[in-house]
Amino acid sequence: MSEQPTPVPTAGSAVSQTMESVPPSSAESAPAAGPLPQEVAAALKRDGAGLVAAVVQQYDTNEVLMLGWMDDEALHRTMTSGRVTFYSRSRQEYWRKGDTSGHVQWVKSVAMDCDGDALLVRVDQVGAACHTGTRTCFDGRTLDVVAGQAG
């Protein structure tokens, strides 16, 4: 995740103008009035830092590309801009995938899992999804396992 963040103002959102470099707080783990639809905000189960895991998948091949983290503002930006925005835990700021690399993720859909603690973001990935230059963050990183079998 070496992308450099670029502020992505959202029209009419005072939150996006004031949260560019403000990390999410544990207070955000509870639903709060904000940019997300109330039913989405209420259903999300955030971690202690106010974040939820976002699995990114290529929309037409179902290839799992990467995992990122979102808070309410990053999810709002993703849902309303057509581009994926993450919250960088290491830099404690927002970053929009592809702004420096050109490897843009165009949003096709966003779904919440049954528990509300993970998101599935289906995208049309342009170029590599991984900061190492590979198509996915999982390329060449298969672990040795004992394979199970049904029945």
Side-chain angles (χ1 to χ4, degrees):
M1 288 194 211
S2 63
E3 301 291 331
Q4 294 299 313
T6 299
V8 184
T10 305
S13 174
V15 174
S16 67
Q17 295 168 1
T18 60
M19 291 186 63
E20 292 306 327
S21 61
V22 177
S25 68
S26 58
E28 288 181 286
S29 61
L36 289 177
Q38 182 57 37
E39 64 276 7
V40 174
L44 277 177
K45 292 183 184 148
R46 302 154 190 85
D47 68 9
L51 301 173
V52 62
V55 176
V56 181
Q57 181 181 46
Q58 176 65 32
Y59 83 103
D60 54 354
T61 65
N62 295 327
E63 179 180 32
V64 176
L65 301 171
M66 62 177 286
L67 173 78
W69 296 91
M70 294 183 179
D71 65 1
D72 287 14
E73 179 64 18
L75 178 55
H76 169 72
R77 292 179 189 193
T78 297
M79 291 172 64
T80 60
S81 71
R83 298 265 310 272
V84 179
T85 298
F86 296 103
Y87 185 82
S88 170
R89 297 177 301 167
S90 60
R91 292 188 312 266
Q92 297 190 350
E93 59 190 7
Y94 297 101
W95 60 279
R96 191 168 68 167
K97 184 70 174 165
D99 279 351
T100 58
S101 68
H103 299 167
V104 175
Q105 293 176 338
W106 296 105
V107 177
K108 295 298 184 179
S109 66
V110 178
M112 189 180 333
D113 79 339
C114 59
D115 295 324
D117 60 2
L119 300 167
L120 177 62
V121 183
R122 293 174 52 85
V123 303
D124 190 5
Q125 175 71 48
V126 175
C130 187
H131 72 280
T132 65
T134 58
R135 171 73 181 164
T136 84
C137 292
F138 302 97
D139 284 348
R141 296 168 183 88
T142 303
L143 303 176
D144 290 332
V145 300
V146 173
Q149 181 175 319

